[in-house]
Amino acid sequence: MLSPSATSDTTATTTARPLLARVADGVRLARDGRFEDTVTLLEDIRSRLRGHPAADLAPVLPGVLTDLGLAQALCGRFGPAGDHLHAARDLAETRGLPLLGTVARQNQGCLTLYRGDAPGAIGIFLELLPLVPADRQEALRVDLAEALLCEGQVEEAGRILAEAPWREGPTDTARTLLEAKLRLLEGDHKAALALSLRVRRHIGRGSPWYGLTHRLERLTERTHQARPIERARGALEVRSPSTAVPVTSPHATRALAALAERLPAPDLHVRPRPAPLPGAWLGAASATLT
């Protein structure tokens, strides 16, 4: 005969299975770029867990909150995302789940990045590198490379990607898009276009990933003929995190707008020269033009 505690745990596990299956559905939706659908599904699961025996199982509630927080961050719902990720970390610590705590912390790093604080995100991801096991290194290094790219550290972002233990498959959308961005910034438009098209073969038109691939392809096509200021603006757009709500530096954007107003009209008979990538010079330009 089972002890009362064992019976309770078995009952909770049995009743949790349908909810956990729906959580897995939400993760699949997110991998397809359907972040709004993911948020809707996980919010419903979160409400159903109130008073449910499954909520007493150690990893269930912090796991749901961790996934929900990231999905909300990807949709630009930063306030609720921050609340849910903070609660997930607290629960993971209270329930003795260090690995789940690192996942919640990594998602907090993503939230920091999407809010526009790339240096803060880089600090979080570097802090996690020695703590995260091998099977989580791929996702962490993609996030770190994305943050480095937002800071204009293209070479370092490429190195981080090259050192990661990649696993090929239909779920490598984020990594492939990031590689496409790197190739575009390096001037390899053909490779950038091929990588972007690879992503589009695995997603539908309703996915935000579809819009991101279209944006990359548009940038690839227009970069050849664009004015230097337009190429710099395009490079700044490429460096934005791969989210449903694009994030760019407001200071850099204002500096580019100010520079565009001061530049003379283009001479159509002169072959355009490559523009520098947006970087520290943008801050200096902004200071001199304000």
Side-chain angles (χ1 to χ4, degrees), residues 155-176:
E155 184 176 346
E156 183 67 10
R159 184 186 67 79
I160 288 293
L161 285 180
E163 292 176 352
W166 299 123
R167 295 170 295 171
E168 294 293 338
T171 61
D172 61 356
T173 299
R175 188 256 296 184
T176 306

Side-chain angles (χ1 to χ4, degrees), residues 164-225:
W166 299 123
R167 295 170 295 171
E168 294 293 338
T171 61
D172 61 356
T173 299
R175 188 256 296 184
T176 306
L177 276 176
L178 188 55
E179 283 189 7
K181 289 182 177 185
L182 286 168
R183 299 292 83 78
L184 181 56
L185 287 172
E186 291 170 351
D188 190 346
H189 299 84
K190 184 177 180 180
L193 185 60
L195 288 165
S196 182
L197 290 173
R198 182 198 299 178
V199 171
R200 270 218 281 159
R201 282 196 293 268
H202 295 291
I203 58 178
R205 286 182 175 273
S207 165
W209 293 128
Y210 190 94
L212 289 169
T213 58
H214 180 71
R215 180 160 60 98
L216 273 175
E217 289 158 24
R218 188 179 71 249
L219 286 168
T220 301
E221 292 168 357
R222 80 185 189 205
T223 299
H224 292 292
Q225 308 266 333

Side-chain angles (χ1 to χ4, degrees), residues 28-150:
R28 281 191 288 273
L29 288 171
R31 285 174 175 168
D32 289 338
R34 296 169 58 184
F35 307 126
E36 290 287 355
D37 292 337
T38 301
V39 169
T40 299
L41 179 60
L42 293 178
E43 283 179 337
D44 179 66
I45 294 171
R46 171 71 181 94
S47 66
R48 291 175 184 272
L49 280 173
R50 294 189 180 95
H52 196 286
D56 295 329
L57 294 173
V60 171
L61 185 53
V64 169
L65 292 175
T66 295
D67 292 338
L68 175 57
L70 179 60
Q72 289 172 321
L74 286 162
C75 292
R77 304 182 191 179
F78 300 147
D83 292 341
H84 287 134
L85 291 173
H86 180 76
R89 282 192 72 195
D90 284 349
L91 281 171
E93 182 177 355
T94 301
R95 298 183 179 189
L97 302 167
L99 178 57
L100 187 51
T102 63
V103 176
R105 181 60 174 157
Q106 181 178 340
N107 289 356
Q108 285 182 320
C110 293
L111 173 61
T112 301
L113 176 62
Y114 304 156
R115 278 177 159 160
D117 182 8
I122 290 170
I124 292 173
F125 297 144
L126 289 175
E127 165 196 318
L128 290 173
L129 271 181
L131 305 177
V132 170
D135 62 348
R136 291 283 311 173
Q137 283 287 326
E138 177 180 357
L140 177 59
R141 286 175 179 272
V142 166
D143 291 338
L144 175 55
E146 186 94 74
L148 289 166
L149 193 60
C150 288

Side-chain angles (χ1 to χ4, degrees), residues 227-229 258-268 273:
R227 297 172 60 199
I229 192 68
L259 285 168
E261 291 176 0
R262 302 283 181 107
L263 286 175
D267 186 342
L268 299 180
R273 292 177 297 175

